[in-house]
Amino acid sequence: MGEDSESPKINHSFLRDYVTEADVISTVEFNQTGDLLATGDKGGRVVIFQRETESKGESEELGESGEYNVYSTFQSHEPDFDYLKSLEIEEKINKIRWLPHQNAAHFLLSTNDKTIKLWKVSERDKRPEGYNLKDEEGRIKDISTVTSLRVPVLKPTDLMVEVRPRRIFANGHTYHVNSISVNSDGETYLSADDLRINMWHLDITDRSFNIVDIKPANMEDLTEVITAAEFHPQHCHLFVYSSSKGTLRLCDMRESALCDKHSKIFEEPEDPGNRSFFSEIVSSVSDVKFSHSGRYLLTRDYLTVKVWDLNMEKGPVETYQVHEYLRSKLCSLYENDCIFDKFECVWNSTDSVIMTGAYNSFFRMFDRETGRGVTLEAWRENSKPRAVLRTRRVYTGGRRRRGDVGVDSLDFTKKILHMAWHPAENIIAIAATNNLYIFQDRVSVENQ
Amino acid sequence: MFSKGTKRKFSDGDEEISDESLVGARVASSYSLQRQSLLDMSLIKLQLCHMLVEPNLCRSVLIANTVRQIQEEMTHDGSWHMVTEAFCGPGQSPSERLVATEVLCRSREQDAEPKLFSVISYEGCREEEVVADETLCSVSVSDTVSNVCLAGRVGQCWEKSELSGVERDEEALEDSRLGSGEDEEIDTEDGASTESPKTTGQVFGTFEIKNGSPGPDSALEELFSDVDTSYYDLDTMLTGMQSAPKMGPYDLLDSLAPSHSSPSIVSTPTCRSDLNELDHIMEIIVGS
């Protein structure tokens, strides 16, 4: 509340709220070491951030880690047009996945709805100088001025990051690609669309192997689609895919060439008490992630996140309510299409904490050991850089505390759909529309 | 915007209506209204997903499943329920109607509901229901509540008949292509208002005889044997293509009206002018 009654406050907030559609971040992913963070947006651009490794002596003790700064930006996909169907193909980057680091260069896969591309990100910090026949600007020298021969030497220059497309995996999918996952064998990866999953070899672009096909012979019989897929982190023959009906299917590629028949199906029987016309929609799994250990699966449906044990198919071992207060609002959320929002979920490095997004710029973290969850906010108006995030609460009854937000004041346009957790440390990257927030765990002195 | 429900008239001429059943009937009809509104909303959503970019298949499938679910439920209790209410009097409402009083968005009691979704053979029931609805529809055409409602009614009729003719599951989606709103409830209500109260069996018995065909299927199949069904291909619909040109529900309507004329129930001239009006409205809605 501005107490300054003298000068009228001009409200510029509408300018801040204006978001270019193309800048909306659509995917976030750390690489395997966590030093690089890639984001993709709706405009088909990829921005890679790199963690600063230089650490001043004092800041290390205080627990501050390096910051992430922009490392490289490139246009990954362009808008395309399918002439056969007279439909546009969006350039929005649906997923980015890093390849395991093998040499000096970094490789990542980025995909839009139809085409997957392999990008090589390499650094150049030296250049040859001292050519005999060319001068410094590259112009051909007059031969008569050359009096002696010398060997060109490599001199350090400013760091240049070069990004080049190395492979383009096109024409593999009729439907929209929703997931890609690199296999632990380091040679293959899978890409999943609504009805099929293909397996590719990273070096072969003109062929892919179809491993799952749930397209019915008669499209009118279609009642279920694939929503996400991932390879097992250690077993190169196992992968899982989730469906719009809330089931998870674990497939073993050793069993047969076409893995339509699952090895295991994970399904929770419907709770009859909660049954409504929206039951199926809210049970649709929007994201599935293996734990780092490979023992558990994490799934996100509209109202909950669930942890499943690979050894138990009949139901999840843990269920966490993300925003149960929305259950009574499903009709409105169906009307404004929010019920179809696809939230992602992530594990922390030790598989002890899980995180997922919600509305109103809120995201939730659940500690698996205690079973408790916290709500945090990714909104710069309410937090300064380096300030400690305070927990938020949605008021659902009982004693109302200061700072509680009512369910009806939630902003459903501010949704946290995409996020990533550093593979080793407690650093998280949250995409909030067109902003990227990076939060770090402040290690207190006592804990060191 | 989506709700086309009209207030149900509890005629004072009926015998004493117990409070309990009155409340039950009101809440049940509120549930039906909300369910109807959800159905309308879903159909419009399905229709609106034909943009420049390919529609999201997952969303389309989920909406289609919701529509199917609503229609299944309406098949088994909605339309029957309305007719029962209208003809048998509120006192005879099945007990589960009182039980299923939660509004659409909340959880519902599970006394009689589960079987609706799982056990009953879909094909068999559909045929029965189609005959009844179609004939009901033709009856109610003469009684216009509002132009929009009328469009919805007949659209529903066409869609139901077409379904029986070609036995498709996705009739709702095809229907949505033509932009018609549904108002099955209005059908039955108007059927009620134009008819003196009868038992359910008598009503449908009458209609079946009126059809004058040995079996309901053959007459309908005959009617719709030349329907171009490729237009209603779900694949086409879900992947945003528009293949065959819009066929006319108008053609079907034309064939519908005369075949079901029965002087005692339908006034044909009124029917005809209403249909012309309907053509016009449908054109606007469909935007052809």
Side-chain angles (χ1 to χ4, degrees), chain A residues 115-301:
Chain A
T115 306
I116 305 137
K117 294 186 183 179
L118 177 69
W119 295 90
K120 178 178 177 182
V121 183
S122 49
E123 290 182 2
R124 186 194 293 246
D125 60 355
K126 299 179 186 48
R127 68 187 202 101
E129 279 180 23
Y131 283 104
N132 291 295
L133 298 174
K134 288 189 293 190
D135 65 15
E136 297 307 311
E137 278 84 48
R139 289 180 299 229
I140 308 287
K141 275 188 194 170
D142 186 3
I143 301 263
S144 52
T145 63
V146 177
T147 52
S148 62
L149 286 179
R150 56 187 173 162
V151 176
V153 290
L154 289 173
K155 291 257 170 72
T157 62
D158 294 333
L159 179 64
M160 259 194 342
V161 180
E162 290 181 335
V163 183
R164 288 216 180 87
R166 300 296 290 176
R167 305 269 187 274
I168 298 187
F169 303 92
N171 304 318
H173 289 279
T174 310
Y175 303 96
H176 292 179
V177 175
N178 53 52
S179 316
I180 46 176
S181 175
V182 183
N183 204 346
S184 51
D185 66 7
E187 290 184 349
T188 57
Y189 73 95
L190 64 75
S191 59
D193 66 26
D194 293 316
L195 297 178
R196 297 192 180 99
I197 301 181
N198 293 336
M199 190 167 93
W200 305 78
H201 191 284
L202 285 165
D203 291 335
I204 301 171
T205 58
D206 60 354
R207 263 172 294 154
S208 77
F209 196 48
N210 178 245
I211 51 178
V212 173
D213 188 341
I214 63 167
K215 183 177 182 202
N218 193 351
M219 274 297 272
E220 291 162 12
D221 300 332
L222 179 65
T223 56
E224 194 174 9
V225 299
I226 297 171
T227 51
E230 199 184 37
F231 266 122
H232 191 280
Q234 284 98 35
H235 301 301
C236 57
H237 51 87
L238 287 180
F239 66 94
V240 70
Y241 70 92
S242 60
S243 82
S244 57
K245 285 201 168 163
T247 62
L248 303 171
R249 287 178 176 83
L250 184 73
C251 299
D252 189 332
M253 295 196 290
R254 298 171 301 186
E255 274 187 286
S256 67
L258 192 58
C259 298
D260 282 358
K261 194 164 143 332
H262 51 263
S263 296
K264 287 192 180 186
I265 180 160
F266 299 82
E267 205 170 0
E268 185 175 23
E270 198 179 347
D271 175 13
N274 270 336
R275 189 164 172 66
S276 73
F277 283 114
F278 305 107
S279 296
E280 189 183 315
I281 301 179
V282 301
S283 72
S284 170
V285 174
S286 54
D287 193 18
V288 64
K289 294 267 168 53
F290 274 101
S291 64
H292 291 93
S293 62
R295 165 89 188 262
Y296 297 98
L297 283 168
L298 178 66
T299 60
R300 174 72 153 97
D301 51 64

Side-chain angles (χ1 to χ4, degrees), chain A residues 219-220 223 273 280 331 334 337, chain B residues 42 45 65 105 107 168 234:
Chain A
M219 274 297 272
E220 291 162 12
T223 56
E280 189 183 315
C331 207
Y334 180 71
D337 267 7
Chain B
S42 306
K45 277 183 185 301
N65 288 350
C105 305
S107 59
R168 286 176 180 274
L234 180 61

Side-chain angles (χ1 to χ4, degrees), chain A residues 219-225 244-246 275-281 283-284 334 340, chain B residues 38-39 42 46 57-73 117 122 169-170 172-173 234 238:
Chain A
M219 274 297 272
E220 291 162 12
D221 300 332
L222 179 65
T223 56
E224 194 174 9
V225 299
S244 57
K245 285 201 168 163
R275 189 164 172 66
S276 73
F277 283 114
F278 305 107
S279 296
E280 189 183 315
I281 301 179
S283 72
S284 170
Y334 180 71
F340 300 108
Chain B
L38 182 67
L39 182 64
S42 306
L46 281 174
L57 188 64
C58 182
R59 178 175 171 273
S60 303
V61 166
L62 288 173
I63 298 173
N65 288 350
T66 307
V67 167
R68 194 181 294 127
Q69 201 182 329
I70 295 174
Q71 292 208 323
E72 272 181 24
E73 192 182 287
F117 298 100
Y122 197 65
D169 285 357
E170 302 303 326
L173 298 162
L234 180 61
L238 290 181

